[in-house]
Amino acid sequence: MGSLHENNVYFSSSKVVGEFKPLDPEEFRRQAHQMVDFIADYYKNIENYPVLSQVEPGYLRNRLPETPPYKPEPFDNILRDIQNDIIPGMTHWLSPNFFAFFPATVSSAAFVGEMLCTCFNAVGFNWLASPAATELEMVVMDWLAQLLKLPKSFMFSGSGGGVIQGTTSEAILCALVAARDRALKSLGAAGISKLVAYCSDQTHSTYSKACKLAGIFPCNIRIIPASADSNFALSPVVLRGVIEADVASGLVPLFLCASVGTTSTTAVDPVSQLAKVANEHEVWIHVDAAYGGSACICPEFRHYLDGVERVDSLSLSPHKWLLSYLDCSCLWVKKPDLLVKALNTNPEYLKNKRSELDSVVDYKDWQIGTGKRFKALRLWLIMRSYGVANLQSHIRSDVRMAKMFEGFVKSDPWFEIVVPRTFSLVCFRLNPFKESNPSYVEHLNKKLLDSVNSTGRLYMTHSVAGEVYMLRFAVGATLTEERHVCAAWKLIKESAEALLKRSYYNSV
Amino acid sequence: MGSLHENNVYFSSSKVVGEFKPLDPEEFRRQAHQMVDFIADYYKNIENYPVLSQVEPGYLRNRLPETPPYKPEPFDNILRDIQNDIIPGMTHWLSPNFFAFFPATVSSAAFVGEMLCTCFNAVGFNWLASPAATELEMVVMDWLAQLLKLPKSFMFSGSGGGVIQGTTSEAILCALVAARDRALKSLGAAGISKLVAYCSDQTHSTYSKACKLAGIFPCNIRIIPASADSNFALSPVVLRGVIEADVASGLVPLFLCASVGTTSTTAVDPVSQLAKVANEHEVWIHVDAAYGGSACICPEFRHYLDGVERVDSLSLSPHKWLLSYLDCSCLWVKKPDLLVKALNTNPEYLKNKRSELDSVVDYKDWQIGTGKRFKALRLWLIMRSYGVANLQSHIRSDVRMAKMFEGFVKSDPWFEIVVPRTFSLVCFRLNPFKESNPSYVEHLNKKLLDSVNSTGRLYMTHSVAGEVYMLRFAVGATLTEERHVCAAWKLIKESAEALLKRSYYNSV
């Protein structure tokens, strides 16, 4: 370590530096008000920043001191450094010109809900530690289940229940371990070598990661190709074949992850038909509706969840499309006791009469960690502040803008839609000469993507499905309005023209 | 579902309800300012609330509507309901009279840091998605490592690195899976049946849970008793014996979790000696310093980390004792490549030149989930706003108050210290007649605990170690001052007197 960390500086002083009050209510009030204005101004001016950060790796280390300060620094200096050092390194996810990945949606209601969650700092590992935190989570999970028209078997008011996790990854891991331990109960621990997990090659990469985390043998993770013919949905017929082959070779089919809205192209797996196949083999079916699930609060999209009564668990991330800020992933299960069996702990220091005598929910037994934040406040504030009517209108507005963009693409002879649009993501590409050489088209679109993103005026990303390279235009950032979508299309068009004018094709 | 969810209500309207702007900067500003005042007032008045919530299970469901509203509700109504319905159900973790579990510490700096983290809503799964989020995390993890005098081998400026996780549970799971996959590389997948994990019976229950999550066979989790003779520290001699027996029976010692500050009694395992034993057998050693680690920023406590240069990973939760609010658990590893090998994913839609060409850190490969919040802001604001001097003084102030309480106990003939104090937790019990019948003393102390907690004037919890039931008085809530500790002792004394006056002993 550098000389600053030697005993003579950090470790020499054992005297108290004045009276230190880290949570003086009036200082808190002053700083928090100041931060509110900082943030409101940031939101107001967000369009002035390049969407994709233009810094080079290592930029920040060069600007910041190597060591933390020994003495306090004024709040105004810190705010200044946030403006000067942090903001240039931000990729502005809340920019209305952010069309990359899936945008992460937000709202004033969720922000103040999050402030309140932070305020209480309740650690809701069991009921007693924060009754309101546990009970409000149970209420909002049931409310959201109602919006999605989930069957009673997923609700606390029925025979199931739900829990708010951080990410889909955690939600899937918890469900998977519940399924695994149910299976190992009869197979014995060594049976883990026989357990097989299924998904399509469009399933989020975190699913395979969860399988590996849970000790499923990598050779027993079946990633089944989904083709363009089915719009990249997993085929129940193919799944049946794969499962039957596994059974024939003495393996034990364990778990299937079906997606409602894959990350590459928002493909929707046919939940009902897949569930029929899986049910025959007592496979645990999890529906990953991280993105697409939110749309199902609108009746015109609800059919994508048809068959959900046949599945074992379902996850949906309100931080993706229900205005909740990160991180908020909802997991519903039909049999909470299986989750609890796999995940419960019962150390002496957490024992209490409520957990022993009453049938209260202790959420530590529904998740990986012990500690738990009071995230339910955010969902509660969202649902109450906006009402179902506005939430539906929010989904529809994004879909309408995506449809508009899709119209621009379709009506332009240089461009083409690569995969039919389902929700608010448009998968398209530039292909002016209807070229059949895939590597040329890929090269061209990579150039276009770089050229557009380097302007800082919007941010899009790409994907590849069925070996086709495509650009993804994901509408959904909370501040996006029609004018941003129109301006984005104009920029994409102009960049394509400039690219072609430079006679790129001839020079290859 | 109830009649309210039928098509005629939720699903009938497809028209937009006015223009819905969930993040209008001026509405945001108004509501957030209002919430700041609500919270500052809550902090100001927090002593007026009973520390431990006095509600009965199910209280909230009875107060809230069964269904979410179709139309928006005014913000003022929601704030009113928070006051009337939520606050009575809170166990007030921030109350200065909260002495339960380990208090979760907070600060104005962390609060505004968290506001800013929420504001940006950056999803830092890879460098490009938010360069500042990744780089600031790297900087603050190195800063904190310096405060702890960790060797360079745990720092980015050396050959290691760190990551902010949500909970210790996740941190341990990630380290464990890295160790597991390193071992399985040579053993093959079936080798998982041979892998053995070690801890003491004082290790946090989440460790065994992490082992099970990772597929370690339950029969291969060795929970080694730690006795009162060693102040509940794990004995290196006993560990060696257990490891050697496992090796002799053809098993493969994999992982050891050593604690610096256990949850029951803040026992400290002898890291250096345990590491020597573990190193001989190529066992991955993780140090769980969730609570006690924070104290090691003071030179007088740093020796508890002696030997850390011999371990593989270390976790510490600033949300416990470094003023950070939930959730913030720091994990340092010596060999980040092992973590990345076990946890990386590389889906097409996240591919980018920075990740491919530059050696940037993509934090999705250091954790369970893909998504990641910009939590580094909190630690940065804490370290800058307060400086090392105040952070040390904060630790010392808590320890001083615990010492004072320890003095009260020691000087009172009715009470006794059960385990010597190490940090800011005092483990004690009422034992006026120096009774040797353990079930009587346990009964008496349970009565005392119930009696004290039911007043709502403070909240303490209990534990059992070495079969001894004890009360835990954990000093650390940020607002706690000496007067609260004095008042707490007075209440405990009075409650004990009342209990004994009721001639409890004779009536048994």
Side-chain angles (χ1 to χ4, degrees), chain B residues 9-30:
Chain B
V9 178
Y10 280 179
F11 286 171
S12 64
S13 162
S14 64
K15 69 176 191 299
V16 179
V17 186
E19 194 186 7
F20 177 47
K21 290 195 168 185
L23 191 68
D24 175 73
E26 294 314 319
E27 189 194 38
F28 167 88
R29 195 190 302 267
R30 206 164 40 244

Side-chain angles (χ1 to χ4, degrees), chain A residues 5 10-11 13-14 17 20 22-23 26 28-29 33 36-37 39 41-44 55-61 65-70 72-73 78 81-82 86 89 91 93-94 104 106-108 111 114-116 118-119 121 123 127-129 131-132 135-136 142-143 146 149 169 180 189 204 209 212-214 217 263-264 297 325-327 343 348-349 351 353-354 364 367-370 373 384-390 392 396 450 462 464 479, chain B residues 5 10-11 13-14 17 20 22-23 26 28-29 33 36-37 39-44 55-61 65-67 69-70 72-73 78 81-82 86 89 91 93-94 104 106-108 111 114-116 118-119 121 123 127-129 131-132 135-136 142-143 146 149 169 180 189 204 209 212-214 217 263-264 297 325-327 343 348-349 351 353-354 364 367-370 373 384-390 392 396 450 462 464 479:
Chain A
H5 322 104
Y10 280 179
F11 285 172
S13 162
S14 64
V17 185
F20 177 47
L23 191 68
E26 294 313 319
F28 167 88
R29 197 190 301 270
H33 278 309
V36 167
D37 285 323
I39 293 172
D41 292 344
Y42 167 74
Y43 285 157
K44 217 167 165 174
V55 298
E56 291 295 312
Y59 91 100
L60 191 59
R61 187 172 285 272
E66 268 178 53
T67 56
Y70 184 71
E73 296 181 13
I78 300 175
D81 293 348
I82 289 163
I86 301 298
T91 290
W93 280 72
L94 264 57
V106 304
S107 59
S108 301
F111 193 97
E114 176 64 11
M115 285 172 75
L116 202 58
T118 308
C119 153
N121 204 39
V123 189
W127 181 87
L128 190 66
E135 297 204 8
L136 191 67
D142 269 15
W143 279 13
Q146 288 177 47
K149 288 192 158 259
S169 315
R180 182 198 70 184
H204 196 287
K209 181 166 164 178
K212 286 180 208 152
L213 279 165
F217 285 20
T263 309
S264 270
I297 66 166
Y325 284 95
L326 286 181
D327 46 356
L343 300 172
E348 183 63 39
Y349 45 81
K351 283 182 184 163
K353 279 189 209 152
R354 293 306 193 181
K364 71 178 170 51
Q367 59 179 26
I368 297 167
T370 307
R373 301 173 74 234
R384 294 194 61 191
S385 300
Y386 303 134
V388 180
N390 277 316
Q392 290 177 339
R396 287 173 180 140
D450 279 352
H462 78 284
V464 171
L479 295 167
Chain B
H5 322 106
Y10 280 179
F11 286 171
S13 162
S14 64
V17 186
F20 177 47
L23 191 68
E26 294 314 319
F28 167 88
R29 195 190 302 267
H33 277 310
V36 167
D37 285 323
I39 294 172
D41 292 343
Y42 168 75
Y43 286 157
K44 218 168 168 174
V55 298
E56 292 294 312
Y59 92 100
L60 191 59
R61 186 172 286 271
E66 269 179 52
T67 55
Y70 184 71
E73 295 181 13
I78 300 174
D81 293 349
I82 289 163
I86 300 299
T91 291
W93 281 71
L94 264 56
V106 306
S107 58
S108 301
F111 193 98
E114 176 64 11
M115 284 172 75
L116 202 58
T118 307
C119 153
N121 205 39
V123 189
W127 181 88
L128 189 66
E135 297 204 8
L136 191 66
D142 270 14
W143 278 14
Q146 289 176 47
K149 287 192 159 261
S169 316
R180 183 197 69 183
H204 196 286
K209 182 166 163 177
K212 286 180 208 152
L213 280 166
F217 285 20
T263 309
S264 270
I297 66 166
Y325 285 94
L326 287 180
D327 46 356
L343 299 172
E348 183 63 39
Y349 44 82
K351 284 183 183 163
K353 279 187 209 154
R354 293 305 193 181
K364 72 177 170 52
Q367 59 178 27
I368 297 166
T370 307
R373 302 173 72 235
R384 294 194 62 190
S385 299
Y386 303 133
V388 181
N390 277 316
Q392 290 177 339
R396 287 173 181 142
D450 278 352
H462 78 285
V464 172
L479 295 168

Side-chain angles (χ1 to χ4, degrees), chain A residues 239-257:
Chain A
L239 174 71
R240 180 186 299 278
V242 177
I243 288 181
E244 286 175 355
D246 283 331
V247 172
S249 32
L251 295 171
V252 179
L254 177 74
F255 200 93
L256 166 68
C257 182

Side-chain angles (χ1 to χ4, degrees), chain B residues 232-249:
Chain B
F232 301 106
L234 177 58
S235 152
V237 178
V238 178
L239 174 71
R240 181 187 299 278
V242 177
I243 288 181
E244 286 175 357
D246 283 330
V247 172
S249 33

